[in-house]
Amino acid sequence: MHLLEQAHQETVRSSPQEMATVLQRLFGQRIVAFMTGVADPKAVGRWARGEREPRDEAEQILKDVFQITRFMALAESEETARAWFIGMNPHFADRAPFATLGENPSKAQEVLEAAKAFVVNG
């Protein structure tokens, strides 16, 4: 899938600061902090300003969320990606993908699969 490869390349080429900036703009500090397992939402702002780097686990989920978001944005739009992440989703028993990731970051692959299904099935 071409868009998935493009999203992957953008993720690999983006710094944590760039990813945090985009995700903070789309979702706000609280949602990004929740998804990355960070207790203080202000940490996301510090990442976005380049004042701090996320720890390894937080950086990994930041990359996962960024890649899924970029895939959705390339296929649809940033607004659709945001709505998809924060809305109820039948793939997760009507829970929002952001909540699923925040509670269990190891579900990133499942969230990506649900995003692909959304894009393919419209």
Side-chain angles (χ1 to χ4, degrees), residues 1 4 64 67-69 71-72 75-76 80-81 83-98 100-101 106-122:
M1 187 172 234
L4 202 53
D64 293 342
Q67 184 168 334
I68 297 165
T69 302
F71 168 68
M72 294 283 296
E76 300 281 337
T80 299
W84 184 86
F85 257 96
I86 65 172
M88 291 189 305
N89 190 300
H91 290 272
F92 307 109
D94 291 332
R95 300 212 8 94
F98 93 87
T100 299
L101 283 172
S106 68
K107 292 199 177 229
Q109 185 63 41
E110 289 177 46
V111 172
L112 176 59
E113 293 303 320
K116 290 193 294 191
F118 175 84
V119 168
V120 169
N121 298 323

Side-chain angles (χ1 to χ4, degrees), residues 33-107:
F34 180 71
M35 285 192 286
T36 56
V38 176
D40 182 9
K42 291 180 183 178
V44 176
R46 289 190 281 276
W47 301 341
R49 291 188 299 274
E51 297 171 4
R52 276 207 151 139
E53 292 281 320
R55 293 199 171 133
D56 290 345
E57 187 175 306
E59 184 176 351
Q60 183 57 57
I61 194 66
L62 190 74
K63 287 178 181 181
D64 293 342
V65 171
F66 183 79
Q67 184 168 334
I68 297 165
T69 302
R70 288 304 305 142
F71 168 68
M72 294 283 296
L74 290 166
E76 300 281 337
S77 68
E78 282 192 345
E79 294 79 15
T80 299
R82 182 183 191 287
W84 184 86
F85 257 96
I86 65 172
M88 291 189 305
N89 190 300
H91 290 272
F92 307 109
D94 291 332
R95 300 212 8 94
F98 93 87
T100 299
L101 283 172
E103 292 166 2
N104 189 348
S106 68
K107 292 199 177 229

Side-chain angles (χ1 to χ4, degrees), residues 22 31 61:
V22 168
I31 289 177
I61 194 66

